[in-house]
């Protein structure tokens, strides 16, 4: 009996230790994904800020300092506070994991089937441009679009993106030039130059599709982390959609993935869920 109790105690001890090690590893990962975009790229958005806050709170739960006080009430308050923060972090993690399942599904398992190129219209979602050149994120989307258009010669593409307050020209014009320079025929690319967010990308591209009698199924070209949100906006506007995901840029992947989780939750939990995220 004593041996069984000792064995159970050891298993419990190692289980707790293993859990703490996993939590520490996750804390470091969150901190890394939050700080790298902040210091190397100057990014300050809900994605990386949420990661930094999460890491700090997780640290506070894992490594509490012993408060030297004889006041029992203060000790109880601190104990309850720690448990509340722990529950909050657990709920955040589980919610993020749940949403991530749908994001992964639409990023990697909702692509157009082979031989269906004539059944859809490629819609490339815009992103920030710098000095009339595509940003790293936009370049990834355009390269993915080029790869698909080059293989499917009959497919028409709509490049969607207006001109931001800090941009010299419209994103769509830069996107079209990039694809034409790579060898895609100019007549296969239609510009949509009014949209300033993802909802408008889809809405205005849909209007172009109807005006030009193009296939109404959208093959949305965007980043892996953004694919599900693009799909939701297409669904909201009454379009069937498939996703063509661009390559992952790892240094920024964590912050953008979390930012889109927050965006999706906003869409689902807000009655009027059209987002106003410039150049998203």
């Amino acid at each position: 009996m004593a041996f069984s109790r000792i064995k159970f105690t050891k298993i419990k001890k190692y289980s707790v230790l293993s859990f703490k090690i996993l939590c520490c590893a996750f804390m470091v990962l969150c901190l890394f994904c939050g700080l790298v975009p902040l210091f190397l790229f100057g990014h300050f958005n809900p994605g990386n800020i949420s990661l930094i806050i999460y890491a700090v709170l997780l640290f506070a739960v894992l490594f509490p300092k012993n408060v030297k006080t004889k006041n029992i009430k203060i000790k109880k308050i601190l104990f309850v506070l720690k448990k509340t923060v722990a529950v909050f972090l657990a709920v955040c993690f589980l919610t993020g994991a749940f949403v991530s399942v749908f994001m992964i599904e639409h990023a990697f398992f909702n692509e157009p089937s082979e031989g269906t190129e004539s059944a859809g219209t490629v819609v490339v979602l815009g992103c920030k441009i710098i000095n009339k050149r595509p940003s790293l994120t936009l370049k990834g989307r355009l390269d993915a679009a080029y790869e698909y258009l080059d293989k499917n010669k009959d497919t028409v593409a709509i490049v969607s993106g207006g001109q931001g307050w800090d941009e010299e020209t419209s994103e769509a014009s830069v996107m079209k030039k990039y694809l034409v320079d790579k060898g895609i025929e100019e007549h296969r690319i239609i510009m949509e130059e009014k949209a300033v967010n993802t909802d408008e990308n889809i809405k205005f591209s849909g209007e172009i599709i109807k005006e030009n009698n193009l296939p109404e199924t959208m093959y949305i070209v965007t980043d892996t982390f953004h694919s599900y949100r693009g799909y939701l906006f297409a669904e909201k506007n009454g379009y069937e959609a498939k996703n063509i995901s661009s390559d992952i840029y790892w240094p920024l992947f964590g912050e953008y993935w979390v930012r889109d989780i927050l965006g999706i939750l906003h869409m689902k939990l807000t009655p009027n869920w059209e987002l106003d995220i410039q150049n998203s």
Side-chain angles (χ1 to χ4, degrees), residues 246-263:
S246 62
D247 291 336
I248 298 170
Y249 183 62
W250 291 108
L252 301 179
F253 183 72
E255 67 155 334
Y256 283 139
W257 190 272
V258 172
R259 192 189 75 166
D260 260 68
I261 288 176
L262 296 174

Side-chain angles (χ1 to χ4, degrees), residues 3 10 24 29 46 63 72 88 99 123 131 135 160 219 268:
F3 176 76
K10 283 186 176 180
C24 286
L29 179 63
F63 305 103
I72 298 177
F88 171 75
V99 175
V123 177
N131 297 326
S135 61
S160 175
Y219 294 166
K268 292 296 187 179

Side-chain angles (χ1 to χ4, degrees), residues 102 105-106 110 123 125 198-203 206 209-210 216-220 226-243 264 267-268 273-274:
F102 296 95
E105 177 190 358
H106 284 82
N110 191 41
V123 177
L125 303 186
T198 305
D199 190 19
E200 291 184 356
N201 286 141
I202 300 299
K203 181 180 179 180
I209 286 174
K210 291 178 179 178
E216 291 197 6
T217 299
M218 293 185 178
Y219 294 166
I220 301 173
H226 195 231
S227 295
Y228 183 46
R229 194 144 61 94
Y231 171 85
L232 289 176
F233 277 114
E235 186 179 55
K236 168 186 174 290
N237 284 281
Y239 296 98
E240 182 181 348
K242 298 290 183 179
N243 294 99
I264 291 164
M267 293 167 66
K268 292 296 187 179
W273 51 265
E274 289 87 343

Side-chain angles (χ1 to χ4, degrees), residues 37-49:
L38 181 63
F39 288 109
L40 295 186
F41 301 94
H43 288 192
F44 192 82
N45 61 55
N48 65 323
I49 299 306

